Amino acid sequence: MSMWKKLAIFGASTLALAACGNEADDGADTADDSEFSIAMVTDTGGVDDRSFNQSAWEGMQDWAAENDFGDDSYHYYQSDSESDFLSNFNNAISDGFDIIYGIGFLLEESIDMVSQQHPDQNFAIVDSEVDAPNVASINFRDHENSFLAGMAAALTTETEKVGFLGGIESPIVDRFQTGFVHGVEYVNPDIDVDIQYASSFTDAGAGQQIASAMYSSGSDVIFHAAGAVGNGAFQEARNRMEAGSDTDLWVIGVDRDQEEEGEYAGGNVTLASTIKEVGNAVSNIADETIADSFPGGETIYFGFAEEGIDFTRGQIADEDWAVIEEARQEITDGELEVREFTYSDE
């Protein structure tokens, strides 16, 4: 059985976000020695970011439920700032978890350091690569589903102008930007793409301010790859639609299905969402390790072909969805190659 096919075993249901006894601020319970246990250190977005960290946390909860493990078998350590990363990793090591995940590329330096200091401890990092025998590096072909986001934006826009809202400039977010722009150009190279970054993954206020400027300057679809910053884009779109906008305004969500974020009294502003199966990847690595196959030292990439990413239909029109589905199949089959990077050396 392939690595990704094993993911189908897990992640079937989503449990409540706030599991009892699992918030780091309340103090961690030391892992139960009778059970295999996993922990995650969040980036600065937190497990309630309705995006990247939340997907990982929900995956951990699903993993414990599927294996009939108790609350002590999984835990998260909240990072309110980057200065919390090292202390959170050290606390997780002291608490005795079998695998400790770093959720996001911002944790690369910290996980590189602690993996050298604790060579017998298993770690995994999402959206980055750490060259160490005790670290599994999990990455996703985000440019592939971002390409479909670009197509959806180009097929939907009435103003011939769309926006990309990024969090922190980096090769990871550049994948989203590059794929999105490529998808827009694939449909119509004359559409204008307004690209802006918030220099944050947490500042929803900055996200709302940027979205306001984009909508005011004529963009009617915004794709965000900005974690909790994107919540501000949804807020701005909802506000304008509730106030009676003359133009239909849309947001394309990221990392998980953000349909709920778009709901307002008169409808829904979530055009679609790119999905990154972070929770399933977290579960899979745990499963591999229980089976004595921890992929330490390996870099694993998941795209459409590996069923590691997805794209939701949301509010996309029937005729547009048919075009997008055709492109998705071509990407999966290797017939359509999506540009991956704009500026990085990757």
Side-chain angles (χ1 to χ4, degrees):
M1 183 182 294
S2 70
M3 184 175 187
W4 193 256
K5 286 182 179 178
K6 291 183 179 180
L7 295 177
I9 300 172
F10 303 102
S13 62
T14 301
L15 303 181
L17 177 61
C20 178
N22 272 286
E23 186 170 357
D25 291 342
D26 293 335
D29 296 321
T30 301
D32 186 342
D33 290 338
S34 66
E35 293 181 341
F36 189 88
S37 60
I38 61 178
M40 61 178 269
V41 176
T42 75
D43 69 11
T44 54
V47 294
D48 58 352
D49 64 353
R50 291 173 279 184
S51 186
F52 191 62
N53 290 284
Q54 184 168 334
S55 296
W57 176 234
E58 289 171 350
M60 291 178 66
Q61 294 176 86
D62 291 345
W63 168 83
E66 291 290 334
N67 286 281
D68 294 323
F69 289 163
D71 288 346
D72 288 346
S73 67
Y74 63 102
H75 190 85
Y76 74 83
Y77 295 79
Q78 176 75 38
S79 302
D80 295 321
S81 69
E82 294 185 25
S83 62
D84 295 330
F85 293 163
L86 277 177
S87 60
N88 280 338
F89 275 120
N90 286 324
N91 287 336
I93 293 166
S94 297
D95 289 336
F97 290 94
D98 293 290
I99 304 176
I100 303 167
Y101 297 83
I103 309 300
F105 71 90
L106 292 176
L107 290 92
E108 178 182 331
E109 183 177 346
S110 297
I111 209 167
D112 185 32
M113 182 181 300
V114 295
S115 66
Q116 295 181 52
Q117 296 170 346
H118 303 274
D120 295 327
Q121 171 71 56
N122 289 333
F123 299 92
I125 187 163
V126 177
D127 266 358
S128 188
E129 295 183 42
V130 172
D131 185 14
N134 57 333
V135 180
S137 300
I138 304 168
N139 286 271
F140 299 84
R141 303 190 195 283
D142 299 301
H143 53 297
E144 293 184 354
N145 51 6
S146 297
F147 179 89
L148 300 190
M151 289 186 65
L155 290 165
T156 302
T157 181
E158 298 175 359
T159 63
E160 301 297 293
K161 185 173 184 179
V162 300
F164 174 82
L165 170 57
I168 296 174
E169 291 190 66
S170 63
I172 295 300
V173 181
D174 187 49
R175 276 200 186 100
F176 290 93
Q177 175 188 321
T178 305
F180 179 72
V181 172
H182 190 184
V184 172
E185 293 175 351
Y186 184 79
V187 173
N188 183 353
D190 294 328
I191 291 175
D192 184 19
V193 183
D194 184 1
I195 298 171
Q196 298 190 42
Y197 279 78
S199 299
S200 171
F201 287 120
T202 61
D203 191 346
Q208 184 168 359
Q209 184 177 18
I210 292 171
S212 177
M214 286 183 171
Y215 289 136
S216 294
S217 66
S219 293
D220 57 353
V221 184
I222 296 174
F223 174 43
H224 89 88
V229 169
N231 298 337
F234 282 105
Q235 182 68 56
E236 183 64 20
R238 293 195 306 265
N239 289 350
R240 287 176 176 248
M241 291 301 293
E242 289 173 347
S245 173
D246 293 333
T247 304
D248 287 336
L249 302 177
W250 302 101
V251 180
I252 299 176
V254 73
D255 291 339
R256 65 195 301 270
D257 188 348
Q258 295 194 300
E259 183 84 7
E260 291 184 2
E261 305 310 312
E263 293 177 356
Y264 69 100
N268 196 305
V269 300
T270 304
L271 179 61
S273 298
T274 62
I275 304 294
K276 184 186 309 208
E277 302 286 4
V278 182
N280 284 344
V282 165
S283 298
N284 181 257
I285 296 298
D287 182 47
E288 294 285 313
T289 307
I290 291 173
D292 294 325
S293 298
F294 175 71
E298 297 181 20
T299 299
I300 309 154
Y301 281 90
F302 298 120
F304 281 129
E306 298 82 13
E307 300 180 4
I309 57 175
D310 203 353
F311 187 69
T312 69
R313 178 169 179 173
Q315 323 301 321
I316 297 173
D318 291 347
E319 61 273 18
D320 295 339
W321 184 247
V323 175
I324 290 169
E325 282 280 82
E326 182 178 352
R328 172 180 176 148
Q329 191 60 52
E330 290 177 356
I331 295 170
T332 304
D333 295 341
E335 298 172 2
L336 174 56
E337 184 175 353
V338 180
R339 296 198 301 266
E340 186 172 2
F341 293 107
T342 298
Y343 66 87
S344 78
D345 295 327
E346 296 293 324

